[in-house]
Amino acid sequence: MILGIGTDLANIDRIAATLDRFGDRFRNRVFTEEEQRKAERRADTAGTYAKRWAAKEACSKALGTGLRMGIAWKDMWVTNLASGQPVMHVTGWAERRLQEMTPEGHEAVIQVTLTDDHPWAQAFVVIEARKL
């Protein structure tokens, strides 16, 4: 059963300008160390950050809250499997919200997909409940 759906579209040039203007202050406020390491290794650093920004926004929408009610940017983060498939993780308030949304006898699974076509980065998140 689907518990939540969220999507977001981020402008890569806007993220690049924010990185140029605020640098580490922005990176450290929004992205985990793991996300920062991944982005800084990529040729398209701003695009990598933009996709993760969009994923956080999309996840917060799928949780039904948007970025309010106590969710912090770093309560949601993206890693990648060896195959390259993105994986969304939650902690803190986002994790508590996910637990509240999940019916008894089910486990929550967060699906995420990311794409970009300069100057746009997009993320789509579906939260589903699977019976245990």
Side-chain angles (χ1 to χ4, degrees):
M1 119 186 31
I2 294 176
L3 300 177
I5 299 172
T7 187
D8 192 68
L9 187 65
N11 185 289
I12 296 169
D13 294 334
R14 184 176 137 242
I15 296 296
T18 303
L19 287 164
D20 288 343
R21 183 171 179 196
F22 297 105
D24 286 342
R25 188 170 137 210
F26 172 66
R27 274 189 280 281
N28 293 331
R29 179 173 167 252
V30 176
F31 302 100
T32 65
E33 289 181 17
E34 188 171 1
E35 288 175 312
Q36 291 179 47
R37 280 192 303 273
K38 169 116 180 144
E40 297 301 325
R41 286 192 313 259
R42 304 294 299 262
D44 184 12
T45 302
T48 302
Y49 279 123
K51 285 186 280 190
R52 277 147 181 76
W53 171 279
K56 293 167 187 273
E57 288 274 10
C59 185
S60 70
K61 292 171 185 174
L63 289 168
T65 63
L67 283 162
R68 58 184 180 87
M69 296 177 60
I71 289 182
W73 285 105
K74 292 184 350 182
D75 282 351
M76 302 164 287
W77 73 98
V78 177
T79 61
N80 294 84
L81 299 177
S83 64
Q85 177 184 346
V87 178
M88 178 63 74
H89 305 273
V90 294
T91 191
W93 195 94
E95 182 179 30
R96 288 189 298 279
R97 172 69 180 143
L98 183 63
Q99 290 169 352
E100 290 171 5
M101 295 171 59
T102 306
E104 194 170 317
H106 291 75
E107 67 174 339
V109 178
I110 303 174
Q111 304 290 348
V112 61
T113 186
L114 308 173
T115 190
D116 65 289
D117 186 8
H118 196 89
W120 301 107
Q122 183 178 29
F124 191 78
V125 171
V126 175
I127 301 174
E128 62 177 306
R130 290 187 189 159
K131 284 191 177 195
L132 292 175

